[in-house]
């Protein structure tokens, strides 16, 4: 009797969730004709991105095997997995999934078709015991079109007389076609009537379930394997209409896997051949360098030249739903500059130049860059991180110094450089958020980037013939550099006594408040902590971030303050794992799994970051300890997961097999982290060169070799200094024209000084207070020239003893 097709029951399905962030492979064709990016974990495809790499369109796609005696086996859960690239540096993969009970083996080859928007899987099914005719293999596909698991529609249709599995949502359609005839097919709602539920509980698909509308949906199709036909080619096509998606899928099937694979591999092989030979192989035989270069290249946009996302993953995605639209497949300007540094270190300056041009295109009108953004530059989170606003200046100067941005090309970027430098000098040195996107204040890492960037910008202004703004930038950098210790270095604390050091740099000091003698005496609200367990004294929180003062050339590696800080970092943040020492981000970090292994849910417990191993190795190299840096490289690489991908964090507690957490192995956070792979490439280059590859030279020359000291201190509304050393001039900086009315003897004598505007929109004047004796107080107020009114508030700065 004929079955009447119906809409499956159970709409709209259970709440949608993403999937594991522990990727073992990521890939894409180096072709604009195929705007598809794919990820792999647990032996199956996970998120597939189309038409841009910030648009995830699937949750996952895997196989289920059924057989006699209610046999049910899902390859991602019930099989052992292995993954290998076709060859070093080519992100095309061979997967082997062997059933844990020894019943079957599934072998896959996965690529995207370079000539059209289609993902191809060549799958072989081998029964290791039993009779092939008694077993059935089903493909399960979970559409999550354009970053959403809900609101999708799935149906069983046909194209040119052959069955095809379709889905659509938010203007994107997909079509799954097979080289072998589909058997039974269904569309259903996840958790209720999807194919997994039907096969698990009933051992068969209900042929009436042909459509599931506007929900969390899934498609299932029986692959027509037989003893004579143990191999199938599945083509997942994408397009604006179901017809177009099916058309390209059908075209790829007709072309075949090998023809597409030949072009795919050759494009990657050609690109890898142009890179520097920094190859090294891990014990597993994987070329770690080529894995890292492929990761960087696979995270680039084909439509937006120079754009690259932070990771094709969603941290703890299996616990995240549609409310987490971005995951890490967004652009972070800081990560993007780090990616550019990786390309530059690997010998591909063209990619770094494209990244700089893309950054120019998404720079905001006031000169800053968004905290993170979609590929089109639309801001996602609203925060401001001053290191992200300064990093592009360092990239531009690195390209200039390497000869890739001569004066003629530099002039084309000058408006971007002017706006960025202006934003940094107008809004620094305090940052709204540190590099971990959490706290405002004085961060040694952010300060190091800001100061190095101002010096770099000054050199670029000089090259372009703009001496006056260049001198102003250096003046500002000198003043900020002089105060790094006042803002962030503490002495005589209980931690000093415990570790046996004179002092150390704190992780971050809060913005100046009248209630504290200096910022480092205030409190820091640690994010991702339970309510009531957040505030900590700034002096009690440390971080490897302080090593940035060496990495960016402001302090020598053997500076006693740095050496003592390293001792404190190791006493508090070092975690010895099977692969070697790995470091935590900072004291009390809450961004990570809970103690019981449950995923981060707004609170948790931070785990060690392999990225910080690379940063520590660079510090050791700067200190002249190359052997130690080389040892840390092995630790860095030893933190990788299957396939050589580097995770954001690694698990520091005993094994929890039920949560897939292994001591020293990747945690449930992002993997791969592109930033970590960039750091890995730079470390390989640094070890090859025998020197830190991305060390800006300006600070080394100015502050370490020449020991330049600023003759002034700077007061501004966003940095109201309360004290200054005797013997210094006082520069008052404002954002509009004013007359400064001031006194050094409690108004017994008063002076007036007009401000002068500069190229950055800052109005300033230097008050001659160098002769004011210690113990006196400088008092001043403003008459706002344009508004024609007085400020009616007096500001004061006490004169300390000489530094």
């Amino acid at each position: 009797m004929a079955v009447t097709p119906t809409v499956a029951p159970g709409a709209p399905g259970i709440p949608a969730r993403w999937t594991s962030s522990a990727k073992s492979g990521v890939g894409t064709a180096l072709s604009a004709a195929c705007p598809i990016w794919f990820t792999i974990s647990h032996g199956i495809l996970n998120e597939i991105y189309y038409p841009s790499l910030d648009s995830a369109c699937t949750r996952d796609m895997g196989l289920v095997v059924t057989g006699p005696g209610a046999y049910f086996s899902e390859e991602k859960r019930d099989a052992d997995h292995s993954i290998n690239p076709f060859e070093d540096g080519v992100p095309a993969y061979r997967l082997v999934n062997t059933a844990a009970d020894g019943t079957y083996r599934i072998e896959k080859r996965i690529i995207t078709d370079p000539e059209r928007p289609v993902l191809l899987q060549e799958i072989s099914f081998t029964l290791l015991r039993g009779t092939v005719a008694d077993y059935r293999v089903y493909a399960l596909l979970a559409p999550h079109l354009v970053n959403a698991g809900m609101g999708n529609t799935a149906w069983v249709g046909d194209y040119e007389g052959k069955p095809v599995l379709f889905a659509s949502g938010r203007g994107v359609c997909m079509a799954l076609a097979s080289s072998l005839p589909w058997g039974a097919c269904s569309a259903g709602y996840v958790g209720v009537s999807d194919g997994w539920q039907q096969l698990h509980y009933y051992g068969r698909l209900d042929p009436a379930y042909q459509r599931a509308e506007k929900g969390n949906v899934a498609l299932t199709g029986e692959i027509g394997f037989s003893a004579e036909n143990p191999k199938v080619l599945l083509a997942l096509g994408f397009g604006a209409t179901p017809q177009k998606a099916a058309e390209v899928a059908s075209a790829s099937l007709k072309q075949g896997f090998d023809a597409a694979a030949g072009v795919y591999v050759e494009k990657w092989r050609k690109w890898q051949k142009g890179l520097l030979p920094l190859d090294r192989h891990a014990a597993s035989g994987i070329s770690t360098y080529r894995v890292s270069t492929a990761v960087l290249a696979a995270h680039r946009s084909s439509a937006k030249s120079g754009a690259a996302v932070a990771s094709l993953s969603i941290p703890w995605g299996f616990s995240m739903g549609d409310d987490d639209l971005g995951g890490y497949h967004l652009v972070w300007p800081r990560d993007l500059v780090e990616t550019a540094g990786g390309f530059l270190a690997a010998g591909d300056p063209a990619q770094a130049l494209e990244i700089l041009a893309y950054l120019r295109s998404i720079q905001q009108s006031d000169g800053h860059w968004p905290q993170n953004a979609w590929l089109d530059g639309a801001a996602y989170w609203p925060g401001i991180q001053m290191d992200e606003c300064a990093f592009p200046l360092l990239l531009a100067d690195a390209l200039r110094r390497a000869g890739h941005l001569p004066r003629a090309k530099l002039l084309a970027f000058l408006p971007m450089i002017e706006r960025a430098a202006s934003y940094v000098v107008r809004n620094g040195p305090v940052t709204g958020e540190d590099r971990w996107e959490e706290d405002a204040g004085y961060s040694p890492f952010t300060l190091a980037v800001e100061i190095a960037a101002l010096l770099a910008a000054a050199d670029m202004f000089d090259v372009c013939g703009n001496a006056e703004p260049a001198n102003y930038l250096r003046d500002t950098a000198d003043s900020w550099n002089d105060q790094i210790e006042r803002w962030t270095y503490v002495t005589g604390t209980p931690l000093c006594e415990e570790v046996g050091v004179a002092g150390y740099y704190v992780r971050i000091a809060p913005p100046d408040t009248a209630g504290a003698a200096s910022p480092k005496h205030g409190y820091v609200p640690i994010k991702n902590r339970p309510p009531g367990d957040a505030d900590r004294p700034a002096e009690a929180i440390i971080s490897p971030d302080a090593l940035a003062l060496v990495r960016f050339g402001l302090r020598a590696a053997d500076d006693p303050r740095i050496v003592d800080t390293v001792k404190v970092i190791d006493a508090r943040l070092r975690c010895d794992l099977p692969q070697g020492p790995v470091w935590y981000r900072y004291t009390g970090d809450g961004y990570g799994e809970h103690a019981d292994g449950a995923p981060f849910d707004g609170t948790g417990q931070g785990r060690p970051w392999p990225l910080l191993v690379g940063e520590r190795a660079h510090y050791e190299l700067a200190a002249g300890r190359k052997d130690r840096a080389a040892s840390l490289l092995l630790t860095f690489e030893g933190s990788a997961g299957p396939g050589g991908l580097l995770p954001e964090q690694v698990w520091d507690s005993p094994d929890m097999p039920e949560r897939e957490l292994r001591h020293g192995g990747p945690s449930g956070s992002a993997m791969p982290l592109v930033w970590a792979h960039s750091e890995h490439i730079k470390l390989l280059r640094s070890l090859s060169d025998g020197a830190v590859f991305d060390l800006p030279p300006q600070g080394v020359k100015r502050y370490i070799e020449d020991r330049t000291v600023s003759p002034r201190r700077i007061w501004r509304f966003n940095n109201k200094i309360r004290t200054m050393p005797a013997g210094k001039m006082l520069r008052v900086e404002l954002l509009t024209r004013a007359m400064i009315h001031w006194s050094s003897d409690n108004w017994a004598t008063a002076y007036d000084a007009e401000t002068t505007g500069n190229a950055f929109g800052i109005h300033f004047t230097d008050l001659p207070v160098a002769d004011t004796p210690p113990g006196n107080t400088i008092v001043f107020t403003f008459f706002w020239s344009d508004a024609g009114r007085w400020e009616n508030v007096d500001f004061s700065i006490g004169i300390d003893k000489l530094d």
Side-chain angles (χ1 to χ4, degrees):
M1 186 174 77
V3 175
T4 302
T6 63
V7 173
I14 63 174
R17 292 289 181 268
W18 294 98
T19 190
S20 172
S21 59
K23 311 305 180 189
S24 52
V26 296
T28 188
L30 294 179
S31 168
C34 182
I36 296 177
W37 295 257
F38 65 90
T39 66
I40 296 169
S41 79
H42 299 80
I44 70 170
L45 286 160
N46 288 166
E47 295 96 350
I48 301 169
Y49 297 80
Y50 170 88
S52 60
L53 78 170
D54 57 358
S55 297
C57 287
T58 65
R59 180 186 191 273
D60 57 18
M61 180 181 173
L63 304 182
V64 164
V65 180
T66 65
Y71 183 81
F72 178 93
S73 179
E74 187 177 8
E75 62 173 339
K76 74 176 179 181
R77 290 189 173 93
D78 302 321
D80 299 320
H81 313 115
S82 70
I83 181 170
N84 287 288
F86 282 17
E87 60 185 67
D88 284 343
V90 178
Y93 300 97
R94 292 186 178 90
L95 280 61
V96 179
N97 301 328
T98 305
D101 62 9
T103 299
Y104 62 83
R105 180 174 63 249
I106 295 169
E107 298 172 75
K108 303 178 183 179
R109 293 197 296 168
I110 300 177
I111 61 167
T112 57
D113 185 338
E115 296 182 5
R116 52 188 66 86
V118 179
L119 184 139
L120 294 172
Q121 287 191 88
E122 182 190 74
I123 304 173
S124 297
F125 178 74
T126 303
L127 199 64
L128 302 178
R129 63 185 185 195
T131 303
V132 172
D134 292 335
Y135 287 83
R136 284 169 170 71
V137 182
Y138 299 86
L140 274 68
L141 171 62
H144 272 45
L145 285 158
V146 194
N147 295 322
M150 302 303 290
N152 295 291
T153 295
W155 68 98
V156 180
D158 68 84
Y159 177 76
E160 295 184 342
K162 296 180 180 180
V164 174
L165 307 182
F166 290 97
S168 66
R170 283 158 289 278
V172 171
C173 298
M174 63 171 64
L176 181 61
S178 171
S179 63
L180 293 178
W182 288 116
C185 297
S186 86
Y189 293 100
V190 174
V192 184
S193 57
D194 64 278
W196 190 97
Q197 299 289 326
Q198 296 178 57
L199 295 171
H200 185 261
Y201 291 107
Y202 309 111
R204 63 180 181 84
L205 295 180
D206 188 327
Y209 296 171
Q210 297 287 289
R211 188 174 184 88
E213 299 177 343
K214 298 180 180 178
N216 181 14
V217 301
L219 287 157
T220 308
E222 180 186 349
I223 301 172
F225 287 123
S226 65
E228 298 74 28
N229 293 299
K231 184 182 292 186
V232 69
L233 179 58
L234 298 183
L236 181 62
F238 290 85
T241 66
Q243 171 78 14
K244 188 62 179 177
E247 178 184 317
V248 294
S250 177
S252 285
L253 286 182
K254 291 174 182 176
Q255 174 185 259
F257 187 89
D258 289 338
V263 177
Y264 184 104
V265 170
E266 184 54 35
K267 285 178 176 290
W268 276 99
R269 188 183 287 154
K270 181 180 179 181
W271 179 73
Q272 290 281 5
K273 188 177 180 181
L275 302 181
L276 294 174
L278 300 175
D279 299 79
R280 52 174 282 107
H281 286 78
S284 63
I286 293 175
S287 171
T288 58
Y289 171 58
R290 299 297 172 173
V291 169
S292 287
T293 53
V295 166
L296 264 62
H299 282 76
R300 296 176 303 180
S301 169
S302 58
K304 289 279 188 181
S305 176
V309 297
S311 177
L312 289 172
S313 70
I314 299 172
W316 301 284
F318 59 90
S319 67
M320 303 292 182
D322 287 357
D323 55 344
D324 191 341
L325 292 176
Y328 277 12
H329 44 277
L330 293 158
V331 176
W332 270 263
R334 171 188 49 257
D335 294 54
L336 190 52
V337 171
E338 298 284 4
T339 298
F343 281 124
L344 198 55
D348 190 349
Q351 293 298 326
L353 281 165
E354 286 186 10
I355 287 173
L356 186 66
Y358 171 75
L359 285 166
R360 176 178 59 186
S361 75
I362 67 167
Q363 185 184 31
Q364 305 298 291
S365 59
D366 64 356
H368 87 279
W369 276 271
Q371 179 180 0
N372 55 15
W374 300 103
L375 290 178
D376 63 4
Y380 183 61
W381 289 340
I384 299 288
Q385 298 172 35
M386 291 301 295
D387 67 312
E388 292 195 310
C389 301
F391 259 126
L393 293 169
L394 290 175
L395 173 58
D397 190 58
L399 286 163
R400 178 192 68 83
R401 288 185 285 103
H404 307 302
L405 204 61
R407 186 176 185 275
K409 287 187 177 180
L410 183 63
L411 286 170
F413 285 96
L414 190 59
M416 181 201 83
I417 293 167
E418 290 173 340
R419 288 192 298 269
S422 175
Y423 191 87
V424 173
V425 297
R426 287 160 65 93
N427 294 278
V430 173
T431 183
E433 290 181 346
D434 63 337
R435 73 162 169 168
W436 305 122
E437 308 188 286
E438 295 180 359
D439 289 309
Y442 298 91
S443 156
F445 183 92
T446 303
L447 288 167
V449 178
E450 288 176 315
I451 294 166
L454 293 184
L455 296 178
D459 279 6
M460 290 186 283
F461 277 118
D462 277 342
V463 169
C464 295
N466 298 341
E468 186 175 339
N471 292 334
Y472 172 79
L473 293 180
R474 293 190 183 101
D475 286 348
T476 303
D478 292 348
S479 178
W480 291 359
N481 181 68
D482 277 3
Q483 297 178 85
I484 290 174
E485 282 69 35
R486 186 185 84 82
W487 291 325
T488 67
Y489 188 79
V490 296
T491 58
T493 71
L495 188 53
C496 289
E497 184 176 351
E498 178 183 336
V499 181
V501 297
Y504 53 88
Y505 294 93
V506 300
R507 173 209 165 198
I508 193 168
D512 293 77
T513 61
S518 72
K520 60 199 176 192
H521 293 113
Y523 284 79
V524 173
I526 300 181
K527 301 296 175 65
N528 306 318
R529 303 290 300 180
D533 185 34
D535 285 357
R536 297 282 195 284
E539 68 177 32
I541 307 186
I542 50 140
S543 170
D545 286 2
L547 299 184
L549 296 171
V550 177
R551 183 72 172 266
F552 293 98
L554 308 187
R555 299 293 181 270
D558 61 356
D559 185 310
R561 297 166 298 195
I562 294 290
V563 172
D564 279 355
T565 300
V566 169
K567 292 177 182 176
V568 176
I569 289 168
D570 286 348
R572 278 290 186 267
L573 301 177
R574 173 173 165 152
C575 178
D576 290 316
L577 295 172
Q579 64 267 39
V582 188
W583 284 265
Y584 298 98
R585 294 195 303 175
Y586 59 81
T587 315
D589 184 10
Y591 183 57
E593 285 90 350
H594 291 269
D596 64 357
F600 173 77
D601 57 3
T603 65
Q605 181 178 326
R607 308 294 168 177
W609 285 55
L611 164 71
L612 298 176
V613 178
E615 293 187 352
R616 177 59 174 266
H618 273 106
Y619 166 74
E620 298 294 344
L621 186 60
R625 296 184 284 267
K626 187 175 182 180
D627 288 349
R628 193 173 296 180
S631 176
L632 287 171
L633 171 63
L634 296 178
T635 300
F636 197 1
E637 295 175 342
S639 299
L645 301 186
L646 291 167
E648 182 181 69
Q649 302 178 44
V650 288
W651 183 242
D652 55 352
S653 294
D655 291 356
M656 290 187 179
E658 70 280 8
R659 293 193 182 274
E660 300 185 354
L661 295 170
R662 176 181 56 83
H663 187 60
S667 75
S669 56
M671 185 166 77
L673 184 65
V674 179
W675 182 2
H677 283 280
S678 299
E679 181 72 4
H680 174 242
I681 295 169
K682 286 190 279 189
L683 181 55
L684 289 172
R685 176 66 183 271
S686 296
L687 286 168
S688 175
D689 293 350
V692 177
F693 169 73
D694 58 356
L695 173 66
Q698 293 93 343
V700 175
K701 178 70 168 64
R702 196 168 184 86
Y703 303 130
I704 298 175
E705 296 176 3
D706 296 346
R707 299 181 180 275
T708 300
V709 175
S710 174
R712 62 179 57 79
R713 288 291 180 265
I714 299 172
W715 184 100
R716 50 171 59 175
F717 274 94
N718 69 333
N719 184 30
K720 300 173 185 174
I721 61 172
R722 297 182 300 279
T723 63
M724 60 179 287
K728 303 280 187 184
M729 289 186 293
L730 173 63
R731 173 166 288 180
V732 177
E733 296 188 342
L734 307 168
L735 298 183
T736 188
R737 194 163 58 97
M739 182 267 292
I740 316 296
H741 188 61
W742 66 279
S743 173
S744 60
D745 55 11
N746 200 26
W747 297 118
T749 307
Y751 306 92
D752 292 327
E754 294 284 347
T755 60
T756 300
N758 67 10
F760 304 111
I762 291 176
H763 299 260
F764 69 93
T765 190
D766 288 329
L767 304 184
V769 301
D771 295 333
T772 304
N776 281 29
T777 299
I778 308 298
V779 185
F780 55 95
T781 188
F782 311 107
F783 180 79
W784 301 108
S785 306
D786 294 335
R789 63 174 182 82
W790 287 92
E791 177 67 14
N792 290 325
V793 174
D794 286 351
F795 303 93
S796 62
I797 301 174
I799 304 297
D800 292 334
K801 295 181 180 179
L802 289 170
D803 284 347

